[in-house]
Amino acid sequence: MSGAAARKPRPRNAEATKALLLKAATEEFAEYGLAGARIDRIAERAGANKRLLYVYFGDKNQLFDAVVQEQTDAVLEAAPMDEGDLCAFAIARFDYVLANPDARRIAAWRSFEQTEPAEGERAAFRARIEAVENAQRAGRIRTDIPAADLFAFVLRITESWLSAPPALKAAGGGDPLSPKRMQQHRAALQAAVRSLVGQP
Amino acid sequence: MSGAAARKPRPRNAEATKALLLKAATEEFAEYGLAGARIDRIAERAGANKRLLYVYFGDKNQLFDAVVQEQTDAVLEAAPMDEGDLCAFAIARFDYVLANPDARRIAAWRSFEQTEPAEGERAAFRARIEAVENAQRAGRIRTDIPAADLFAFVLRITESWLSAPPALKAAGGGDPLSPKRMQQHRAALQAAVRSLVGQP
DNA sequence: CGTATGTAACTAACTATTGATTTACCAATC
DNA sequence: GATTGGTAAATCAATAGTTAGTTACATACG
């Protein structure tokens, strides 16, 4: 027998490897952010060689961009805004980020660590704001708050518990993320958004 | 004249130097976070020698803790919660973080990069939640949303525009932080919190 | 007075590590 | 046999943290 342990090389499958790397990068960036993430850890998480990361994605920043792109697209798709219905939007977004905590953290890291907005995302927000304006004109929601502000309120409120300061989550006692607690919070969120957007 | 430029050493004043370092660290951490901040840049910003930073604060993490402590204390003091008055709290907090953007960013970085809550802060949040509960019992605010949830909603809403994704801020066109815009948003915030906490 | 002396404030240059990115190479598979 | 997927090990810059001092200043002593 040879002394060195036999390393079994990864099966040759570019697509699968690329997907594994992206998944590992998503987890790593979600946990540590762009500056805190480590290329070595990403490769290790993926069980792949570091080099492949550069082959498939370019460099650390481009990898981060790829992760951001995927996650923001997913959130946008999971929480549509039909007819400017902010209540439905809020609940859909809450459900999605509760089930996919990484998506929320990636979006937050991005808006903290990168200030340059992407054009596609800007357009997506503009469309949502316009939908809210339409609903205002149709008399479905209050008009004393500008559409952009109202949308920003609702957007943040959907993740207010999930992104609350650790000390606040801990202040209540009990598991702040237990299913029971989340069910309760979901109902609270629904009530809150309803009274927030309704006619005053 | 001698070839080397004469470096004028910093006047010998421990308190002043320490304060300058803390200020520089606050700016650096606010901008880049714990992982992204650079010790050398902090020293340079302060116009002080790197070594002093270690003498006065220990290491990078302890320096970050010192900054966090100062900033969170300041926010807590600037936005008190008398009699569970969430409206007044919200406006006071908004005004403070608008005037002190670093405080908000520091708090955000902290809750993202460090998960261990400090005991003092936990107590502060508990006190606030209790104040809200009292107001609920007194019939001043709605009771169909648990106090902790309601507080979390209001807390996040106070910074929803300031911490909105860059793409959202940019979507509206015009300077998203102009005084005029902020005045408008402040009114929107007031209206929003009022209808959020009022009896349904 | 003037000078020794202890110590606090400060500085420059060094080290040891870490971490992103590359180079050079091997092995499947078409 | 050329191209594609994969690996190990080197490179090179940046960084947190240190070592080894120098200078200002106070206080005490002759």
Side-chain angles (χ1 to χ4, degrees):
Chain A
M1 67 192 79
S2 75
R7 39 162 180 61
K8 51 174 176 179
R10 161 165 301 279
R12 305 185 127 235
N13 184 338
E15 283 309 304
T17 301
K18 193 173 172 181
L20 269 179
L21 281 168
L22 191 64
K23 182 163 178 289
T26 303
E27 293 167 8
E28 175 77 9
F29 283 131
E31 194 166 348
Y32 300 104
L34 174 55
R38 294 292 168 256
I39 292 286
D40 288 318
R41 273 200 303 247
I42 294 174
E44 196 182 7
R45 268 182 206 259
N49 191 285
K50 195 160 58 152
R51 184 72 237 274
L52 296 176
L53 202 150
Y54 289 91
V55 171
Y56 295 139
F57 296 99
D59 63 12
K60 195 187 184 187
N61 285 294
Q62 287 173 274
L63 177 59
F64 186 68
D65 288 345
V67 167
V68 166
Q69 188 67 53
E70 190 191 44
Q71 295 300 313
T72 53
D73 283 357
V75 177
L76 281 175
E77 191 182 357
M81 173 117 66
D82 301 323
E83 309 284 330
D85 184 349
L86 282 163
C87 294
F89 166 78
I91 288 294
R93 192 167 194 279
F94 171 78
D95 287 342
Y96 185 78
V97 296
L98 178 61
N100 302 77
D102 286 351
R104 180 184 63 78
R105 287 185 65 93
I106 292 290
W109 283 118
R110 179 273 186 51
S111 70
F112 256 76
E113 298 191 285
Q114 294 187 323
T115 43
E116 330 81 41
E119 178 49 43
E121 217 187 341
R122 190 166 3 183
F125 278 125
R126 203 155 23 220
R128 278 160 162 64
I129 292 174
E130 271 163 26
V132 173
E133 282 169 347
N134 287 338
Q136 285 178 318
R137 271 192 287 272
R140 285 197 298 277
I141 56 180
R142 74 195 296 168
T143 55
D144 62 328
I145 293 180
D149 302 60
L150 197 53
F151 178 70
F153 290 150
V154 172
L155 190 65
R156 271 289 167 266
I157 236 182
T158 62
E159 53 188 62
S160 50
W161 187 253
L162 302 172
S163 74
L168 173 54
K169 271 190 267 198
D175 177 7
L177 296 175
S178 71
K180 197 180 187 79
R181 185 77 189 76
M182 284 303 93
Q183 200 53 41
Q184 193 180 27
H185 183 76
R186 191 176 189 272
L189 174 66
Q190 196 147 32
V193 175
R194 215 192 306 276
S195 53
L196 184 56
V197 306
Q199 307 291 349
Chain B
M1 66 191 76
S2 75
R7 46 171 173 57
K8 50 175 179 179
R10 159 165 303 279
R12 299 181 139 239
N13 184 338
E15 284 308 305
T17 302
K18 193 172 173 183
L20 270 179
L21 281 167
L22 192 63
K23 183 164 177 288
T26 303
E27 293 168 8
E28 176 78 10
F29 283 131
E31 193 166 348
Y32 300 104
L34 174 55
R38 294 292 168 254
I39 292 285
D40 287 322
R41 272 200 303 247
I42 293 174
E44 196 183 7
R45 268 183 206 258
N49 190 287
K50 185 162 69 150
R51 185 72 237 277
L52 296 177
L53 202 149
Y54 290 93
V55 170
Y56 295 138
F57 296 99
D59 62 11
K60 194 186 184 186
N61 286 295
Q62 287 173 273
L63 177 59
F64 186 69
D65 288 344
V67 167
V68 165
Q69 189 67 53
E70 190 190 46
Q71 295 300 312
T72 53
D73 284 355
V75 177
L76 280 175
E77 191 182 357
M81 172 118 66
D82 302 322
E83 307 285 330
D85 184 349
L86 283 162
C87 293
F89 166 78
I91 287 294
R93 190 166 196 280
F94 171 77
D95 286 343
Y96 185 79
V97 298
L98 178 60
N100 301 77
D102 286 351
R104 180 183 62 79
R105 287 185 64 93
I106 292 289
W109 283 119
R110 179 271 185 53
S111 70
F112 256 76
E113 299 192 286
Q114 293 186 323
T115 42
E116 329 81 43
E119 178 48 43
E121 217 188 341
R122 191 164 6 180
F125 278 124
R126 203 155 23 220
R128 277 160 162 63
I129 293 174
E130 271 162 26
V132 173
E133 282 168 347
N134 287 338
Q136 286 179 318
R137 272 190 289 272
R140 285 197 299 279
I141 56 180
R142 72 194 297 170
T143 56
D144 62 329
I145 293 181
D149 302 59
L150 196 52
F151 178 70
F153 290 150
V154 171
L155 190 67
R156 270 289 166 269
I157 237 182
T158 62
E159 53 190 61
S160 50
W161 187 252
L162 301 172
S163 74
L168 172 54
K169 272 191 265 199
D175 177 7
L177 295 176
S178 71
K180 197 180 186 81
R181 186 76 189 76
M182 285 301 94
Q183 201 53 41
Q184 192 181 29
H185 184 74
R186 191 176 188 273
L189 175 65
Q190 197 148 31
V193 176
R194 214 191 307 275
S195 52
L196 184 56
V197 305
Q199 307 291 349

